[in-house]
Amino acid sequence: MSEQESRAGHRPGASVGDPAGGRAEQAPGARRDRDRDPGLAGDLARAFAGPGGTPAGRARPGPDDEPLLDRAEALNLAAAPDAEISGAGFGEPPFGSARRLPGAPRPAGPAPSVAEAAPGPGTPGTGAVGADGADHSAVQLPPSPAMVCDAGGVVVHTNAALRRLAGSADPTGMRLPQLLVGPDSDARLVRADRRLARVKVVRWNQPGDRTVVLLTPFPDAAPAPSDEAPALDLERATRSGTWTFDLQAGTLTRSEGLVELYRALGVRPDGPDGPIEGEQVERVCRMLRRGPDAAPEPTTAHSSEIRPQGGAVLSCRTRIDRTPGGAPLRLIGTVQDVSDRRRAESRAQRSGQRFADLVATITTGVAMLDGRGRIVDANPALCQLLDADLETLRGVPARSLSAEPQSDLRGGLPDWLRDPSHPEPTYRIESLPLLRADGTRVDCEVVVNAAPSDDGRPFWLLVVTDVGERRRAADVLREADTVDPLTRLPNRAGLLELADRLLAGPDAARVAVVCGDVDDFARVNTGLGHDAGDTLLVELAGRLQRELPYHCTAGRLSADEFAVVCADVDEVGGPQALAAVVAGLLRGDVTVAGRPVTLTASVGVAGRDAAVAGPQADARGPRGDDLLRSAEVAVREAKQRGRGTVAVAERGAVAPARRQLELEAELRAAIEGDALRLEYQPVVAPDGTVLSAEALLRWSHPVHGEVSPGEFLPVAQRGGLQRDLDLWVLRTAATEAATWPRAGQAVGVAVNLAGLLPADPSFLADVTAIVEGAGLPWNQLVLELVETSLVALPRPALDAMSELVRRGVRFAVDDFGTGYSSLARLKELPAQTVKVDRAFVTGVGTDPADFALARAVVEVARAMGRKTVAEGVETAEQFHVLRGLGVDAFQGWLFARSLRPDDLHRVLRGGGLPTPATSATPADGTPGVW
């Protein structure tokens, strides 16, 4: 037996020397595995029940994993039970590296279990109760190192001197072959730290088949120098280590190098789920259990990787050590730190993937040719250019790509491929006609780079650009002044000329026009400069020119607006499909000035049926300008839906835009001609007292009749008329409110502002001039502002509001809770009233969420000293719930609809309006009955 095996403490077949120091004899009770109790298989199965390694992400053994091994049938081990090793009771790391896996079996025979070997009462740490139940502590031991063993060779009692010599560990419950190695006259004691102490052994047989073993240390009893130093140095140099799992004893032994490796990496080898190597042991044992067909050959190693917490990667190769008869004896694993190698491989893989992704995103064709001039790889752009998939292109010789005969075929290579030894290995071919898969030709510009590959053979890299369509378009449009000077695409005039020609032909019904507007293109010019913006536009134009379907012609209408005229929209799948193609070409990442820019585009498409002939159209029907305007209207509709969306123009799509322009002009005239009017909706207290009235704008059109605010207010917003409307409403409301009858408290007039805002430099001066000119008391004016207009107000705006509040004006926050303001902003604003939006009022009596939101708004306003007004109150139930929440005032159809000035005068003279608090509630609670 080698000293290394002695230290490991697990050499199979180890025997105990006789008292006289003669030849070793087999311990009593030895028998073959096939004669053992089959219950050992279940013990061994439990030894592997818990996975090793890190706790996270490890599968637990299934029912079919028990038992993992059956010693009598699967392993057929012939080792004697006294040769088995148990690590139980012999200290914990760092005393030694031998570890028993959780639940590992103990040897069969009369050996005591851990429970039986536990210290008895009065003899702490001695474990003096044997397998036969006798108390062995009665045996008097001398002061020198000594111990008592039972008939099975199991240590049942020790003294303090022995425990000190063994390394401050209690070996009770272990077998002598685990402690003593060699003849009794010159033996070695295996200490808990795996070092050997030289001792002389004397044995005395005692009654009851007990044996007292006395150890006499030699003068040089210090642990013998390790013969593992070279191996340890090698393990340190290679950042590796080994472990051994004894299949008989179920113990795991680690080399010192492996222990140091774990420590250096900060790996906890023994966690709550067992040793880190347990998963590998479990996997190999599961294969052994399946039989010889599934188990690896003796010379075959099972490899896996362990990835503990902390980012380290450990490679583990496990081989099976077998008996001369072929039965599995132990598992031997080699663990090596391959973290740096795996990181390098990962970096190389990512680098290669980035290069592949870069080539794949290039909009020009790229191909790689091997030494025989055959295509080995190509990017999607080249596949699209040649109308062939990658698998079809691979292996195609370069000479087959040429559309013209080659005069000099050097070994099958075309004449336009130079040898890498040429003085100019990188060169440009201005025009090279290539064959597409369908037999058509495409004129290309090809840049070639010739270089030797790793094996010394030639290697060519081709960059292919389709220049045929570009040249043909330039030749046709150059003399007509219909080309965009930046992108070299047809401009608006060129596209309209083409569209008119197609609409006048026999296939006019299949003509379609697509408009695409790049979303927020101004940020590129602002952030990167106009030169970068021009570069981006040229790149987008190139995409459209190269990749649009057949029958389609691209053009540039304005700065960032492109258009496509399609001669046969049915050929490309219909208007929606064509618009999707254009949107895809205008979308994606483009590198400009060294920076990636992500683009989206809003796209609209219009067919012939979607355009209504303009006023000047003749009998031929719609012209190109009609289709183009319809497509542009669809683009605006797409932008309203969100970035990167597509819209299809419907019949009469231009009519709303024309209506918008007409209404804008008529509304401007109505403001200037004082042709608008105001109505008022009262705001009442719970008892019906009218506290104020909100001015509501109305427009009676001389031709179209009543125009709803929902129609003309958006027109005013888009036409820039909101401020003019606010000034008119404020002036008219102040003038009329100054004439309202007073019955005690003055009734305020509320004016909702959308264009005249506190941030306007002339806000304070305009309000002052109107109020003083109308003779309205300051405390009778209430200015309502939606919360979105109060976000991030500058200090001058807040000062203007504070000055008006000082004079007596009250401010109200309208539609609170539906915008973007915060509670902190509400706290800073000089507003006295918060209006609860109708969105919360509608379901306040039935929807718990609306009830909670309304209550929150009321409580926040009350905490900040603000009054609350509930908008859109229509039922008595809403009134009672809101009143219970503490709402101060109410507005809605339950009390009154909007009133003309004369009707409001009558209400004010009458003293107020009835409310559910002052009248009986109708059974149905319908509005308008109070």
Side-chain angles (χ1 to χ4, degrees):
M1 174 186 297
S2 69
E3 187 172 318
Q4 182 177 0
E5 292 172 327
S6 301
R7 283 194 212 96
H10 66 275
R11 180 179 179 181
S15 60
V16 181
D18 59 13
R23 63 183 179 87
E25 64 180 8
Q26 191 173 2
R31 56 180 177 176
R32 292 187 175 274
D33 285 15
R34 62 174 177 268
D35 298 326
R36 297 185 185 181
D37 185 352
L40 292 174
D43 292 340
L44 189 56
R46 287 187 293 275
F48 304 127
T54 57
R58 193 173 301 113
R60 308 295 298 185
D64 60 343
D65 293 332
E66 296 182 14
L68 289 175
L69 292 173
D70 188 316
R71 298 192 178 198
E73 297 178 3
L75 296 179
N76 194 23
L77 298 177
D82 56 21
E84 297 174 354
I85 295 173
S86 168
F90 196 66
E92 299 292 335
F95 291 117
S97 59
R99 312 289 294 165
R100 175 182 294 276
L101 291 182
R106 294 192 172 275
S113 64
V114 175
E116 293 168 340
T123 58
T126 63
V129 180
D132 54 1
D135 186 358
H136 300 286
S137 62
V139 178
Q140 298 296 322
L141 298 178
S144 60
M147 55 186 163
V148 179
C149 301
D150 63 9
V154 177
V155 179
V156 296
H157 183 36
T158 61
N159 62 3
L162 177 67
R163 292 193 290 275
R164 286 194 299 272
L165 181 61
S168 300
D170 186 7
T172 302
M174 299 181 62
R175 290 179 176 273
L176 279 179
Q178 298 175 255
L179 295 174
L180 297 176
V181 180
D184 289 355
S185 59
D186 188 10
R188 299 293 187 273
L189 173 67
V190 181
R191 294 165 47 88
D193 57 2
R194 297 181 61 229
R195 304 176 69 182
L196 305 179
R198 188 181 177 196
V199 295
K200 181 179 180 181
V201 181
V202 179
R203 306 169 189 261
W204 288 306
N205 294 327
Q206 298 293 317
D209 293 331
R210 294 178 299 181
T211 303
V212 175
V213 181
L214 177 65
L215 307 182
T216 302
F218 279 72
D220 59 341
S226 173
D227 61 356
E228 293 183 349
L232 178 59
D233 293 339
L234 180 60
E235 288 182 343
R236 288 171 176 169
T238 59
R239 295 182 64 81
S240 63
T242 59
W243 55 263
T244 304
F245 180 73
D246 194 317
L247 292 172
Q248 300 180 50
T251 57
L252 180 70
T253 305
R254 299 188 183 102
S255 68
E256 187 173 351
L258 182 57
V259 175
E260 290 186 3
L261 177 62
Y262 286 157
R263 187 182 303 114
L265 295 176
V267 175
R268 182 183 179 188
D270 297 293
D273 293 331
I276 195 173
E277 303 88 354
E279 185 175 353
Q280 180 78 345
V281 171
E282 179 182 340
R283 188 179 295 111
V284 177
C285 289
R286 188 181 296 113
M287 290 191 301
L288 289 172
R289 183 182 62 82
R290 297 194 187 107
D293 295 337
E297 295 296 327
T299 58
T300 304
H302 181 84
S303 300
S304 66
E305 286 188 352
I306 303 175
R307 296 179 181 266
Q309 293 179 351
V313 182
L314 303 176
S315 174
C316 183
R317 292 176 57 85
T318 305
R319 64 181 179 85
I320 303 172
D321 191 11
R322 300 175 183 267
T323 64
L329 184 61
R330 64 177 63 86
L331 307 181
I332 301 176
T334 302
V335 179
Q336 186 175 16
D337 179 16
V338 294
S339 305
D340 294 339
R341 186 191 311 167
R342 292 294 179 266
R343 281 192 288 268
E345 293 173 353
S346 178
R347 286 195 297 270
Q349 183 179 6
R350 289 196 299 270
S351 177
Q353 185 61 44
R354 283 195 295 269
F355 176 77
D357 294 342
L358 175 63
V359 172
T361 56
I362 295 176
T363 56
T364 55
V366 177
M368 287 171 277
L369 310 182
D370 61 12
R372 297 182 299 169
R374 297 178 179 272
I375 296 178
V376 295
D377 203 358
N379 70 340
L382 184 64
C383 295
Q384 183 174 6
L385 177 65
L386 300 180
D387 193 23
D389 56 51
L390 180 58
E391 294 303 321
T392 303
L393 286 179
R394 279 185 175 140
V396 174
R399 66 174 184 272
S400 299
L401 298 178
S402 302
E404 295 179 353
Q406 301 298 302
S407 58
D408 183 16
L409 293 178
R410 309 178 320 276
L413 298 177
D415 56 0
W416 49 269
L417 281 183
R418 295 178 182 174
D419 191 86
S421 60
H422 193 278
E424 296 181 2
T426 301
Y427 53 97
R428 181 188 303 272
I429 304 173
E430 296 293 339
S431 179
L432 179 64
L434 299 181
L435 277 177
R436 294 165 54 91
D438 58 1
T440 59
R441 293 163 50 114
V442 54
D443 292 333
C444 298
E445 177 186 83
V446 182
V447 178
V448 185
N449 176 265
S453 60
D454 295 339
D455 58 3
R457 302 183 65 185
F459 177 83
W460 290 276
L461 179 66
L462 309 182
V463 179
V464 183
T465 304
D466 178 11
V467 297
E469 186 66 27
R470 184 194 312 167
R471 290 176 178 174
R472 286 191 296 272
D475 292 339
V476 173
L477 302 175
R478 185 175 294 112
E479 296 179 359
D481 196 21
T482 56
V483 177
D484 176 61
L486 175 64
T487 63
R488 306 305 300 170
L489 293 178
N491 57 16
R492 180 182 293 270
L495 286 177
L496 290 179
E497 180 182 334
L498 174 61
D500 287 340
R501 187 168 61 251
L502 294 174
L503 288 171
D507 298 325
R510 288 181 288 187
V511 176
V513 174
V514 180
C515 282
D517 195 321
V518 179
D519 295 324
D520 198 14
F521 182 80
R523 77 186 194 282
V524 179
N525 288 333
T526 303
L528 302 180
H530 286 273
D531 290 340
D534 290 346
T535 302
L536 182 57
L537 292 174
V538 171
E539 174 63 22
L540 293 178
R543 285 187 184 181
L544 293 172
Q545 191 176 40
R546 290 188 303 270
E547 303 181 27
L548 276 174
Y550 189 64
H551 300 308
C552 294
T553 302
R556 182 185 177 213
L557 301 180
S558 60
D560 59 344
E561 187 178 9
F562 294 87
V564 175
V565 175
C566 182
D568 191 348
V569 71
D570 295 336
E571 188 71 18
V572 296
Q576 186 78 33
L578 177 61
V581 170
V582 175
L585 294 177
L586 297 178
R587 178 176 59 240
D589 294 337
V590 180
T591 301
V592 181
R595 295 177 176 86
V597 179
T598 301
L599 299 177
T600 60
S602 300
V603 176
V605 59
R608 184 179 184 274
D609 293 337
V612 177
Q616 306 301 325
D618 52 27
R620 293 181 303 174
R623 302 179 63 88
D625 182 67
D626 300 320
L627 268 70
L628 186 58
R629 284 190 293 126
S630 297
E632 289 175 330
V633 170
V635 169
R636 288 196 293 272
E637 180 181 350
K639 283 187 175 295
Q640 293 176 358
R641 298 178 185 174
R643 297 169 60 98
T645 57
V646 175
V648 179
E650 299 178 355
R651 177 178 293 275
V654 179
R658 188 181 298 117
R659 170 72 170 166
Q660 155 78 23
L661 294 175
E662 294 172 355
L663 277 181
E664 180 181 334
E666 292 169 351
L667 181 59
R668 192 183 305 274
I671 296 173
E672 295 173 355
D674 213 20
L676 304 173
R677 75 174 192 278
L678 292 180
E679 293 182 357
Y680 301 89
Q681 187 173 36
V683 177
V684 301
D687 61 357
T689 301
V690 178
L691 303 177
S692 63
E694 181 179 358
L696 303 176
L697 185 61
R698 298 292 183 262
W699 183 16
S700 297
H701 194 278
V703 177
H704 304 294
E706 289 292 328
V707 182
S708 70
E711 184 177 359
F712 68 81
L713 288 180
V715 171
Q717 181 181 8
R718 288 194 293 268
L721 297 176
Q722 281 186 312
R723 190 174 188 278
D724 294 337
L725 273 181
D726 285 354
L727 291 173
W728 187 92
V729 172
L730 181 59
R731 186 182 302 109
T732 304
T735 301
E736 293 181 353
T739 65
W740 287 352
R742 296 172 178 265
Q745 180 181 355
V747 176
V749 58
V751 179
N752 199 314
L753 301 180
L756 180 64
L757 299 176
D760 191 335
S762 62
F763 174 75
L764 180 60
D766 291 338
V767 173
T768 301
I770 290 175
V771 173
E772 291 179 351
L776 181 73
W778 286 103
N779 62 355
Q780 202 173 340
L781 178 62
V782 180
L783 298 180
E784 295 186 0
L785 300 168
V786 294
E787 62 171 322
T788 52
S789 65
L790 299 175
V791 176
L793 285 177
R795 175 50 55 185
L798 295 175
D799 293 341
M801 294 177 66
S802 300
E803 174 61 21
L804 291 177
V805 170
R806 187 187 63 80
R807 298 176 184 179
V809 176
R810 288 168 289 166
F811 283 92
V813 181
D814 197 14
D815 301 335
F816 182 77
T818 62
Y820 306 97
S821 65
S822 63
L823 297 179
R825 172 59 59 180
L826 177 63
K827 180 181 178 181
E828 297 172 1
L829 292 174
Q832 295 76 36
T833 304
V834 174
K835 302 192 76 173
V836 183
D837 187 72
R838 67 177 63 248
F840 306 146
V841 171
T842 301
V844 72
T846 57
D847 189 343
D850 286 349
F851 176 85
L853 290 171
R855 180 175 61 184
V857 172
V858 173
E859 291 177 355
V860 167
R862 183 187 299 117
M864 294 184 179
R866 271 69 166 174
K867 298 292 184 180
T868 53
V869 176
E871 296 178 297
V873 180
E874 297 180 358
T875 66
E877 180 183 16
Q878 294 172 352
F879 173 87
H880 288 300
V881 172
L882 292 169
R883 185 185 181 192
L885 293 178
V887 172
D888 300 297
F890 306 84
Q891 177 182 354
W893 286 3
L894 178 63
F895 316 102
R897 296 176 181 266
S898 60
L899 304 175
R900 291 180 178 269
D902 294 341
D903 296 332
L904 179 62
H905 277 250
R906 285 194 292 271
V907 170
L908 296 179
R909 286 194 297 269
L913 294 167
T915 70
T918 60
S919 305
T921 304
D924 57 355
T926 55
V929 299
W930 300 104

